[in-house]
Amino acid sequence: MGAVAITVLVAAGYGVWRTKTLPVRDVGTMGLIQPNEGFREKWDPAHADSVVAKLVAMARRTLAASGGRLDLLVWPEAAIPGWLAEQPAWDAQFAALARDSRTPILTGGIYATFHPGGTYDSYNAAFFYDSTGSWRNAPVYGKRYLVPVVERVPFFPVRLFRSLPGLGRWSGGFARGRDLPVYGTRIGRFGVLICYESAFEDLPRKYRLAGTDFLVNITNDAWFGRTAGPYQHASHLVMRAIETRTGIARAANDGISEFVDPLGGTHEATGLEQEATVTGRLRTSDVVTPYARLGDWVGTLCVLATLGFAGVVAVQGWKRTA
């Protein structure tokens, strides 16, 4: 009990000290767009143009309210309801918005790569429109951690799964992204996490070691409705920010859009099931933590120690009964 109490006190003391001494700086001013589109209406082809028009209108209002002084505009996961390459009219609108305002835009959408023979891979992706209005100047980020079944069916061919009654509409065939592109802006470099990739520690660590100044998380939590899900999902970013001492901007279609600072504090958080725009300053730190450099070695040692102690106890018990 004494050893446990000492570890708790040491951790708490370190936490208090680090909170007061961590050097934190402003990154810049960002705009987050939360359009609150219903997940069924969003993918209805009859509503696609209105979904895009709403995004552009909300972005223009956000830019006007900021006096045109935004450093980055962030739209949520799958904000574009279709394949961007097949929608030149939409692309032209987004390009004009970024170019005219000189404000880069990060947005979610569907991306595809085609192969000989007519086959293709599609990705739940993020596109970065730079201040010249082009997304082709930067690599497209394809989501690496896909939601089982909904985004990628594990172990079975997706066609077989879709043939099962009731599962056809909810069986995804996305390909897994392989790269971790880092996007450059006038306020620094950032990496992207899509949806529940925020639950995995390895991507933020890799981004941090690649020299990112901050992270951007885009998501769509409309699936959860008014449950504990959106709050639990958003809370993952608190851990990622503390682990890497990185500021994070989060834009949700529905759910919680907010900013997270390197100490895990959140601000400018939106409510559930509401159309909202957020303008705020993101803060970050330049500290690269031991966790970012070394990974979860403490957890690994704890598991090994637990197994070792369990083995000792088992051997002692066996000797007593022998």
Side-chain angles (χ1 to χ4, degrees):
M1 291 294 292
V4 172
I6 290 173
T7 60
V8 171
L9 290 174
V10 169
Y14 174 80
V16 171
W17 171 80
R18 203 64 181 118
T19 299
K20 294 180 179 180
T21 60
L22 182 71
V24 176
R25 63 177 175 86
D26 280 348
V27 173
T29 303
M30 300 183 189
L32 312 178
I33 305 299
Q34 181 171 301
N36 190 33
E37 294 284 354
F39 62 85
R40 286 188 174 87
E41 293 80 4
K42 185 180 186 64
W43 298 107
D44 185 345
H47 292 86
D49 287 334
S50 63
V51 168
V52 170
K54 183 178 182 180
L55 276 172
V56 173
M58 293 179 71
R60 292 192 185 281
R61 289 198 300 269
T62 305
L63 285 164
S66 69
R69 294 189 297 271
L70 290 181
D71 297 304
L72 180 64
L73 194 60
V74 185
W75 294 350
E77 175 190 14
I80 304 172
W83 288 8
L84 181 59
E86 294 186 344
Q87 301 293 340
W90 297 351
D91 185 20
Q93 291 185 64
F94 306 152
L97 179 63
R99 183 176 60 250
D100 295 346
S101 65
R102 306 295 296 176
T103 303
I105 301 172
L106 181 80
T107 182
I110 307 300
Y111 181 65
T113 57
F114 293 87
H115 310 296
T119 62
Y120 64 90
D121 290 324
S122 59
Y123 300 86
N124 183 354
F127 301 86
F128 178 67
Y129 282 85
D130 61 24
S131 56
T132 69
S134 174
W135 60 267
R136 292 177 173 84
N137 294 334
V140 176
Y141 173 66
K143 187 178 180 183
R144 293 167 63 112
Y145 286 105
L146 298 169
V147 178
V149 179
V150 176
E151 291 186 316
R152 183 177 177 85
V153 176
F155 312 124
F156 294 95
V158 66
R159 291 181 181 178
L160 174 63
F161 219 74
R162 286 175 176 170
S163 67
L164 299 177
L167 295 179
R169 293 181 57 200
W170 306 105
S171 303
F174 283 127
R176 289 185 60 194
R178 300 295 179 185
D179 300 324
L180 280 178
V182 174
Y183 299 108
T185 68
R186 58 177 175 261
I187 56 173
R189 291 151 51 88
F190 71 93
V192 179
L193 306 172
I194 299 179
C195 190
Y196 93 132
E197 287 184 325
S198 60
F200 300 91
E201 52 77 30
D202 61 318
L203 297 186
R205 285 184 53 238
K206 291 175 181 176
Y207 278 131
R208 192 56 156 166
L209 294 178
T212 55
D213 298 288
F214 60 97
L215 298 173
V216 175
N217 176 220
I218 57 175
T219 188
N220 178 13
D221 289 352
W223 313 92
F224 292 119
R226 285 192 167 272
T227 65
Y231 299 100
Q232 181 183 13
H233 195 190
S235 69
H236 293 158
L237 288 179
V238 173
M239 293 298 297
R240 307 292 85 83
I242 293 171
E243 288 164 354
T244 59
R245 297 302 184 198
T246 307
I248 307 174
R250 185 180 202 258
N253 169 58
D254 178 38
I256 300 173
S257 300
E258 63 184 0
F259 297 102
V260 186
D261 67 33
L263 293 166
T266 61
H267 60 99
E268 312 295 340
T270 62
L272 303 184
E273 297 182 345
Q274 60 179 230
E275 180 182 318
T277 59
V278 176
T279 302
R281 294 191 66 80
L282 179 68
R283 291 175 292 171
T284 194
S285 170
D286 295 322
V287 172
V288 180
T289 63
Y291 186 83
R293 297 183 188 278
L294 304 175
D296 200 12
W297 61 273
V298 173
T300 301
L301 287 180
C302 288
V303 171
L304 294 176
T306 301
L307 292 175
F309 287 132
V312 171
V313 171
V315 170
Q316 290 177 342
W318 175 77
K319 289 181 176 179
R320 284 194 298 267
T321 57

